[in-house]
Amino acid sequence: MKKIIAMVTAMMLTASMAACGSGKADSSADAASTEDTAKEAPAESGAAEEENEAETSEEEASGEVYQIGICQLVQHEALDAATQGFKDALVEKLGEGNVEFDEQNASGDSATCATIINQFVSSDVDLILANATPALQAAHAGTADIPILGTSVTDYATALEIDNWEGTTGMNISGTCDLAPLAEQAAMLNELFPDAKNVGLLYCSAEANSAYQANTIRTSLEDMGYTCTDYTFADSNDIASVATNAAAECDVIYVPTDNTAASNTEVINNVCLPAGVPIIAGEEGICAGCGVATLSISYYDIGYKAGEMAYEILANGADVSTMAVETAENVTKKYDADRCKELNIEIPEGYEAIAK
């Protein structure tokens, strides 16, 4: 009997110890689980923080960078200055890195302008700058949706065939104008050459803006008693021969803000200067290359103004179709001192020598 009681007691003690041991193990497991959870929590928190940082970084990276396509008809001093002014204005207002420019030059070819514009449309740029009339016409033909700003464009109504011009295009186009006061240019010619009889109007027949200027200034010159004759060239291949005819038949030559002429001033100068025929130019770059005097605007300024207009469209949602075409605020009488000296032309007060 004692043996049986002892065995039962031993079994109870063993069970009790096992139970205690089991409780301890469970407690340890719970502690371990809690510790593991505690260890995992910072890891999960860190991952969440990394994820949030990644999202923030992605948001910053996805901040809008405006894509601007620039189509410039040809490389010469005036158009280059307008493009630079445009870029400077946008970078200044949007900040470095917030605007990217795809700047392309058509080398004087209107068909190349169309190709460039089509590339911009395919790339879905945010805005197009068309520098010079053929570039503007190509942009107009290429898209009715992307905002277009022109610069170095003489007359938007002529370029876009708009009747009853009131200052806005009513389409996805606006910009800045490079037209200097033509009546005042005619007055300058008369001031410097009052005894001249025949004035030659030398320009490219393919440039609508040049024809507009020639037709406009002709009226003022004829009212002053001059006889005016057009001398037009189709492209750069004809310039030398046409300029030779003009120099042989005219006392003075007027060259408007013509892009083809601006790219070939050396050719014109090599014909007219030896012939002793002075040239009044429509802008400073042409005057520096072959002229004696000009009433000129700042192409950098009109480009800069176009850049300010672009900012209003891109950043503030301005409606390009209702934006008035802007004109140059200031004009300056300038002269080429070396050429005037060689031709024995005395320049009156009020003219500024062109820096070279």
Side-chain angles (χ1 to χ4, degrees), residues 43-114:
E44 290 174 359
S45 175
E49 289 175 3
E50 289 177 4
E51 185 177 349
N52 289 336
E53 290 175 1
E55 289 176 359
T56 301
S57 176
E58 185 177 345
E59 287 173 1
E60 290 175 354
S62 65
E64 187 164 10
V65 177
Y66 295 104
Q67 304 296 323
I68 310 297
I70 299 176
C71 178
Q72 182 173 316
L73 174 64
V74 68
Q75 183 175 7
H76 65 70
E77 183 179 345
L79 299 192
D80 292 348
T83 292
Q84 191 60 54
F86 175 81
K87 292 164 62 178
D88 286 351
L90 268 184
V91 169
E92 179 182 313
K93 290 185 170 295
L94 291 174
E96 192 79 40
N98 293 325
V99 58
E100 294 180 353
F101 301 102
D102 183 357
E103 185 177 344
Q104 299 195 38
N105 193 295
S107 300
D109 184 39
S110 297
T112 303
C113 285

Side-chain angles (χ1 to χ4, degrees), residues 189 192-193 202 243 251-256 265 268-269 271-273 277-282 286-287 289-294 339 343 345:
L189 187 151
L192 297 176
F193 308 106
L202 181 66
D251 303 312
V252 183
I253 292 174
Y254 173 77
V255 179
T265 55
I268 298 172
N269 187 63
V271 171
C272 295
L273 185 60
V277 179
I279 293 173
I280 297 295
I286 296 176
C287 187
C290 63
V292 295
T294 181
R339 203 168 286 112
L343 294 175
I345 297 171

Side-chain angles (χ1 to χ4, degrees), residues 233-240 260 264 267:
F233 45 87
D235 54 40
S236 58
N237 296 321
D238 301 333
I239 290 180
T260 308
N264 292 274
V267 175

Side-chain angles (χ1 to χ4, degrees), residues 77 265-266 269 273 279 281 283-294 334-343 352-356:
E77 183 179 345
T265 55
E266 184 177 358
N269 187 63
L273 185 60
I279 293 173
E283 58 91 12
E284 182 177 342
I286 296 176
C287 187
C290 63
V292 295
T294 181
K334 293 193 174 185
Y335 72 103
D336 185 283
D338 294 337
R339 203 168 286 112
C340 285
K341 181 178 181 180
E342 186 166 347
L343 294 175
E352 176 184 320
I354 294 173
K356 291 188 176 181

Side-chain angles (χ1 to χ4, degrees), residues 8 15 64 69 71 85 115 128 139 149 170 186-187 195 207 258 292:
V8 171
E64 187 164 10
C71 178
T115 301
I128 293 172
L149 289 175
D195 298 327
E207 296 191 34
D258 183 281
V292 295

